[in-house]
Amino acid sequence: MTSNSAKSPAVFIDRDGTLMDDADYCSRPDQVKIFDGVTDALRRLKDAGYRVIVITNQSGIGRGFFTEDVYRAVEAEVSRQLGDGLIDATYFCPDAPGKPSKCRKPAPGMVLQAAREHDIDLSRSFLIGDKEIDAECAHNAGVRAIRVRTGFDKMTDGSCADWVTEDLPAAAKIILNEAKR
């Protein structure tokens, strides 16, 4: 077993509405539009020693709106627009809502799987997302939550997130400031 001091911290990031514009069941690569400042923010996190791991609910697969191959084409475009080396891994959950799921956020399955597979120290990690289920997932997995206001739901009153901020670049500043403590 690896000690926590040898494990890496990570920033888990929701995709739609956090890294990129939420196209509502994004099913075409031409719908991918990475938000301004995201690439530089991810680079700063990587330079500070964080693993960057995308975790995303993709219920459009489970609902039959698009296939896993279509999802993979969209994900390839996300990677292309961000550039090489910024994303360490991506995990997606195809399950539709209303059915038992260990991976569909707010369940912590994707975060816990990534932590096992990438030797992540959850006590030094964060999750950034635009929905309350992202904040709930973070806490269910034992990581700190940052909620951003870049998705469809801009109302964050009463959020269980540890911090609420405007966007991913501002969330990255919070993380980097916390790392200095």
Side-chain angles (χ1 to χ4, degrees):
M1 185 154 173
T2 308
S3 73
N4 278 357
S5 62
K7 292 182 175 189
S8 299
V11 178
F12 300 97
I13 303 174
D14 172 62
R15 190 187 81 179
D16 303 333
T18 304
L19 279 177
M20 60 180 255
D21 192 38
D22 193 336
D24 202 17
Y25 301 108
C26 183
S27 59
R28 295 189 332 263
D30 66 346
Q31 293 174 301
V32 174
K33 182 185 179 303
I34 302 296
F35 290 128
D36 290 340
V38 164
T39 300
D40 290 337
L42 295 180
R43 190 169 293 111
R44 285 192 307 275
L45 292 168
K46 293 286 290 180
D47 289 347
Y50 287 91
R51 300 247 179 150
V52 175
I53 299 174
V54 174
I55 61 164
T56 179
N57 285 346
Q58 291 296 317
S59 70
I61 297 169
R63 295 171 195 241
F65 296 164
F66 53 88
T67 65
E68 187 174 325
D69 287 342
V70 168
Y71 160 78
R72 297 236 182 254
V74 169
E75 198 57 40
E77 179 61 16
V78 170
S79 293
R80 188 193 71 74
Q81 286 188 30
L82 288 173
D84 289 336
L86 289 182
I87 304 295
D88 292 295
T90 298
Y91 292 81
F92 72 97
C93 182
D95 299 345
K99 298 190 174 159
S101 177
K102 292 182 181 179
C103 64
R104 182 172 172 74
K105 295 180 283 179
M110 290 184 282
V111 172
L112 299 177
Q113 180 183 355
R116 285 190 306 273
E117 293 177 358
H118 296 277
D119 216 17
I120 301 297
D121 178 357
L122 293 174
S123 71
R124 296 188 298 146
S125 297
F126 299 82
L127 190 151
I128 304 169
D130 67 307
K131 295 181 179 74
E132 195 61 16
I133 61 168
D134 297 312
E136 292 167 4
C137 176
H139 292 154
N140 290 338
V143 303
R144 291 168 281 179
I146 303 174
R147 183 138 173 229
V148 295
R149 294 185 185 107
T150 47
F152 289 138
D153 185 6
K154 309 237 187 290
M155 298 301 297
T156 56
D157 294 347
S159 176
C160 73
D162 299 290
W163 298 272
V164 174
T165 192
E166 291 307 310
D167 56 18
L168 191 142
K173 286 180 186 174
I174 291 168
I175 292 168
L176 296 171
N177 286 336
E178 284 296 304
K180 294 177 187 174
R181 292 180 173 211

